[in-house]
Amino acid sequence: MQFNEYQRKAKTTAIYPKDENPLWYPALGLAGEAGEVADKVKKIMRDRNGAATDEDREAIVKELGDVLWYMAMLALELNVDLNRVAEENIEKIMSRKERGVIHGAGDER
């Protein structure tokens, strides 16, 4: 599935308050779901010294799907398609790799 196709399909399931500022709901949802991913990883590290089970992987895949949904809706509210987000991100990361600045700090490196 292509990112834009996912975004179009996900839009049909978007039932949330769209008031004068429609960004807050998907942005907060994205943060919450990312936190759930991090919490699952934390528990794998704490309880199993980093050894993820098949069940852990499946649970994280589901949470990553929720992250993707909220990311798609936030991009939609910004009138940006997910293909653009993916393309611009990989260009940025590849440029950092080529320039030897993948490790480091700051957005504009």
Side-chain angles (χ1 to χ4, degrees):
M1 174 179 289
Q2 298 293 315
F3 285 120
N4 286 351
E5 178 186 359
Y6 174 86
Q7 191 175 27
R8 280 190 302 276
K9 287 182 178 183
K11 178 182 178 182
T12 68
T13 68
I15 302 170
Y16 58 85
K18 294 185 181 182
D19 53 20
E20 65 279 354
N21 187 349
L23 299 178
W24 69 269
Y25 186 87
L28 292 176
L30 177 60
E33 295 299 338
E36 288 186 36
V37 171
D39 192 56
K40 290 189 181 312
V41 171
K42 175 200 75 178
K43 290 175 181 174
I44 292 166
M45 298 304 293
R46 180 193 68 198
D47 299 341
R48 288 186 288 292
N49 200 30
T53 65
D54 289 342
E55 292 82 17
D56 293 329
R57 286 183 194 86
E58 288 305 311
I60 291 172
V61 164
K62 288 179 182 177
E63 296 301 338
L64 288 173
D66 293 340
V67 167
L68 180 60
W69 189 91
Y70 279 106
M71 187 175 77
M73 293 305 96
L74 182 55
L76 183 72
E77 296 297 345
L78 294 168
N79 295 314
V80 175
D81 66 57
L82 281 184
N83 280 354
R84 175 182 169 195
V85 173
E87 288 167 1
E88 289 184 15
N89 179 260
I90 201 65
E91 287 173 11
K92 176 182 78 176
I93 299 302
M94 294 303 292
S95 172
R96 287 179 181 173
K97 179 182 176 186
E98 290 167 4
R99 293 179 289 118
V101 293
I102 273 199
H103 299 289
D107 290 339
E108 301 300 324
R109 55 178 187 254

